[in-house]
Amino acid sequence: MRPNILRIDPGDIDDVLIGQAAREIQSGGLVAFPTETVYGLGANAMDQEAVAGIFEAKKRPLDDPLIVHIANRDDLSWLVEEVPDEAKKLIDRFWPGPLTLILKKTDRVPDIVTTGLSTVAVRMPSNDIAKRLIKASGCPVAAPSANLFGRPSPTTAQHVIDDLNGSVDIVLDGGKTDIGVESTVVEIVSGKVIVLRPGGIDVEELRSVVGMICVYTEKEVITKSPGKYPQHYSPLAEVVIVDDDPQQVEKVLLEAHEASGRGLSVGVMAKEEHALEYEGFHCKVLGPSIDARACASELFHVLREFDKDDVDLIIAEAIPEAGIGLAVMNRLKKAAGIGT
Ligand code: AMP
Ligand code: MG
């Protein structure tokens, strides 16, 4: 089965195409669609068989729970038992947007969505195509990233097709996604907001709304949040990271010469301001290190491009972990197989 690829103009959304995709969701199919973070692979969250299809298509382990997407804040009460005050404050400020909340689920949410947990992850995306699709579907939409499990997340419809061609019914192609890394995932424990996954909303933004924030280390997250694996978001090539320090260029060059000498095909993922230093090497620019948002939007695409070029080793320059840079480095460390 080849997916039906529907091109949709984000500036002039065609309701006929949205209707076609919504009917696919209603009849138990899988629809890939753009969100402001990455492309999602959506199914009716209330339809267990359809949700099973998501796990199958992605080859996702059955202990890795899904995020449920809603289009109206009112839909939350259907999915969760209670919304603590801190969650309300976060929702008021950041929804619709790239913030996922882990809340106590109602019995209505099928176990397969939450992999048997008593909590469910919920978010309301801000992307207009995503919002219109969810609204037209008339049900909550379970949607993990629309990539094969473990691969870099998809930021274009082409990335979705590269990974899932044959196992998705419709791909809504709404162009490149805006943010480029996934949502921030938080849970609230005794009034304290715990960041389980850094993402599109950065910690400083969260702190401007709620006082008590705790960012879990990767080790703590792995024990707390099922479905977290130390290696993830990985290109086929091996990834090594060179620290963000004044000797960064020298260290990259040393690694690159050494690996080339061993006969490896080397790619350098560079900060824009360093790119000229790597002349003679296969170099791709992530973005200016002062602009972490630009780096976030390019990260997964650049990792995928190196794979297309059959690179054996990607030497990646670390960027500062401020703002959304924390999410960029979290994904990059996972691509390299190291926790944070
Ligand atoms: P993805 O949909 O691929 O962006 O991944 C969603 C991630 O959210 C999962 O891998 C989990 O780590 C996390 N998650 C989803 N549901 C829960 C939950 N109920 N409790 C804790 N973490 C969750
Ligand atoms: Mg994912």
Side-chain angles (χ1 to χ4, degrees):
M1 173 187 70
R2 290 187 70 78
N4 199 352
I5 299 158
L6 307 179
R7 290 225 160 69
I8 189 157
D9 178 354
D12 182 18
I13 297 169
D14 184 342
D15 275 328
V16 175
L17 299 179
I18 292 287
Q20 192 179 336
R23 280 193 298 281
E24 191 62 55
I25 297 246
Q26 287 160 353
S27 62
L30 300 183
V31 175
F33 61 97
T35 78
E36 68 277 22
T37 57
V38 300
Y39 272 73
L41 180 64
N44 177 356
M46 297 297 128
D47 179 338
Q48 300 190 38
E49 259 179 58
V51 173
I54 292 179
F55 284 94
E56 206 174 303
K58 280 182 60 76
K59 301 192 169 54
R60 182 174 173 114
L62 285 163
D63 66 351
D64 191 355
L66 307 180
I67 296 173
V68 177
H69 294 67
I70 57 176
N72 295 301
R73 195 175 157 161
D74 292 346
D75 298 339
L76 190 58
S77 56
W78 211 76
L79 299 168
V80 308
E81 291 286 356
E82 54 190 356
V83 184
D85 285 346
E86 299 303 305
K88 282 185 192 140
K89 285 188 211 162
L90 292 171
I91 288 169
D92 284 343
R93 173 70 179 79
F94 297 114
W95 277 13
L99 180 70
T100 297
L101 292 156
I102 309 289
L103 298 165
K104 192 166 176 349
K105 84 175 189 78
T106 60
D107 290 341
R108 286 183 278 261
V109 181
D111 282 341
I112 187 165
V113 172
T114 63
T115 65
L117 296 172
S118 59
T119 52
V120 60
V122 189
R123 99 172 177 97
M124 183 159 108
S126 62
N127 177 291
D128 284 330
I129 297 173
K131 274 198 297 201
R132 298 265 278 270
L133 173 67
I134 299 162
K135 214 169 260 183
S137 300
C139 58
V141 173
S145 48
N147 53 324
L148 279 175
F149 180 75
R151 297 268 301 140
S153 294
T155 54
T156 65
Q158 189 57 51
H159 296 162
V160 177
I161 294 158
D162 290 344
D163 274 18
L164 300 179
N165 195 8
S167 48
V168 52
D169 299 296
I170 290 180
V171 179
L172 280 180
D173 181 355
K176 186 171 180 282
T177 61
D178 191 22
I179 296 173
V181 291
E182 301 82 349
S183 59
T184 302
V185 178
V186 300
E187 71 171 348
I188 289 127
V189 179
S190 317
K192 196 158 94 174
V193 175
I194 297 171
V195 178
L196 295 175
R197 176 176 78 181
I201 301 289
D202 65 49
V203 177
E204 292 82 351
E205 290 175 282
L206 293 176
R207 204 165 270 136
S208 71
V209 176
V210 285
M212 299 247 282
I213 302 260
C214 167
V215 182
Y216 267 18
T217 64
E218 205 53 36
K219 218 167 158 192
E220 285 168 314
V221 171
I222 288 169
T223 47
K224 263 211 75 79
S225 183
K228 284 286 185 181
Y229 298 84
Q231 177 117 25
H232 210 98
Y233 313 111
S234 304
L236 303 173
E238 189 190 338
V239 178
V240 295
I241 301 171
V242 175
D243 289 347
D244 175 39
D245 66 29
Q247 281 78 48
Q248 195 173 32
V249 171
E250 287 78 6
K251 287 179 187 166
V252 169
L253 286 171
L254 203 68
E255 285 256 11
H257 282 294
E258 193 271 331
S260 303
R262 283 192 285 133
L264 296 181
S265 159
V266 174
V268 177
M269 189 167 83
K271 296 170 175 169
E272 187 176 279
E273 63 268 29
H274 290 167
L276 288 177
E277 310 273 356
Y278 304 124
E279 240 175 77
F281 285 100
H282 182 42
C283 172
K284 291 187 193 295
V285 172
L286 183 61
S289 63
I290 51 152
D291 189 351
R293 295 233 153 240
C295 295
S297 81
E298 279 302 296
L299 176 69
F300 289 133
H301 179 66
V302 170
L303 293 177
R304 281 175 178 265
E305 287 293 299
F306 275 126
D307 273 349
K308 278 200 188 144
D309 300 343
D310 274 336
V311 161
D312 301 311
L313 176 70
I314 300 169
I315 302 172
E317 290 194 323
I319 66 163
E321 295 198 355
I324 201 173
L326 182 67
V328 172
M329 288 311 299
N330 168 275
R331 307 306 188 270
L332 196 51
K333 285 175 189 175
K334 290 203 163 201
I338 48 177
T340 45

